[in-house]
Amino acid sequence: MKKIFTLFVFLCTISIYSQTLDKEGFEIGRAQQFGAPVEAQLTKKDNVYKISFRDISFKTVDYYVDFEFKDENGNLDTLYAMIEKGFEEMPKDDIPVTFANRTVYLKFTRFVGAKVLVFSCIRSEANSEVVISNFIAKKQVDKLFGKKK
């Protein structure tokens, strides 16, 4: 009886996990600092990549904004290469990147001597409020895109 109950619990756990995995998609990577809330997360579901980043304007609520793009012509690698180039060149102006659901601006700056990336975008077309991510270091960007260096 114990073996049947254990088997039943195991099968229920697997089916619940697979249902949540299908809904959310497959996580490729995340940018997170030592137990703090997730700053950014990259997931893939079907043929669509989704990057979600945390809005720093809220102190007590974790509000995430996302942008999506299809997996065509190596779009993910192109975005990663664009970010890598930004870390090398450190452009003074924000780099606009247009996706299907919004335009995201990549800002490269220095914080405590380290090169960091900041995502920013407009919350919605009806609301002109700007959403800004926290600082994301180069090492965190590598983890976000699933690059192990």
Side-chain angles (χ1 to χ4, degrees):
M1 186 67 181
K2 288 181 182 180
K3 290 180 182 180
I4 294 173
F5 179 72
T6 306
L7 182 64
F8 177 72
V9 170
F10 179 71
L11 292 176
C12 288
T13 306
I14 290 175
S15 66
I16 291 171
Y17 177 73
S18 65
Q19 289 173 2
T20 58
L21 183 65
D22 187 45
K23 182 179 178 185
E24 296 296 322
F26 176 75
E27 180 180 299
I28 295 174
R30 63 173 52 185
Q32 184 176 15
Q33 296 179 352
F34 305 117
V38 175
E39 298 299 336
Q41 181 177 16
L42 173 62
T43 57
K44 181 179 181 182
K45 183 176 179 185
D46 298 330
N47 199 25
V48 177
Y49 289 106
K50 177 173 141 182
I51 296 180
S52 303
F53 62 91
R54 190 169 69 90
D55 184 5
I56 62 169
S57 61
F58 296 104
K59 299 295 181 199
T60 58
V61 177
D62 291 335
Y63 180 76
Y64 290 89
V65 177
D66 55 37
F67 57 94
E68 300 176 346
F69 55 95
K70 291 188 178 184
D71 185 17
E72 297 174 343
N73 302 325
N75 288 339
L76 184 67
D77 293 330
T78 304
L79 179 61
Y80 180 73
M82 185 182 302
I83 292 172
E84 286 285 310
K85 185 178 176 184
F87 275 121
E88 291 172 10
E89 297 177 358
M90 296 296 291
K92 294 183 189 248
D93 297 329
D94 295 355
I95 301 172
V97 183
T98 304
F99 297 101
N101 59 343
R102 67 183 63 210
T103 300
V104 176
Y105 297 91
L106 306 176
K107 179 177 183 169
F108 297 93
T109 186
R110 288 188 178 270
F111 180 71
V112 192
K115 297 177 182 180
V116 293
L117 165 69
V118 175
F119 290 114
S120 64
C121 67
I122 295 175
R123 187 176 308 276
S124 66
E125 293 184 21
N127 185 356
S128 62
E129 184 179 347
V130 176
V131 179
I132 300 171
S133 75
N134 203 355
F135 298 124
I136 302 173
K138 184 178 182 327
K139 192 172 185 178
Q140 292 175 324
V141 169
D142 291 339
K143 288 180 182 178
L144 177 66
F145 283 87
K147 308 290 184 185
K148 308 290 184 200
K149 289 186 176 182

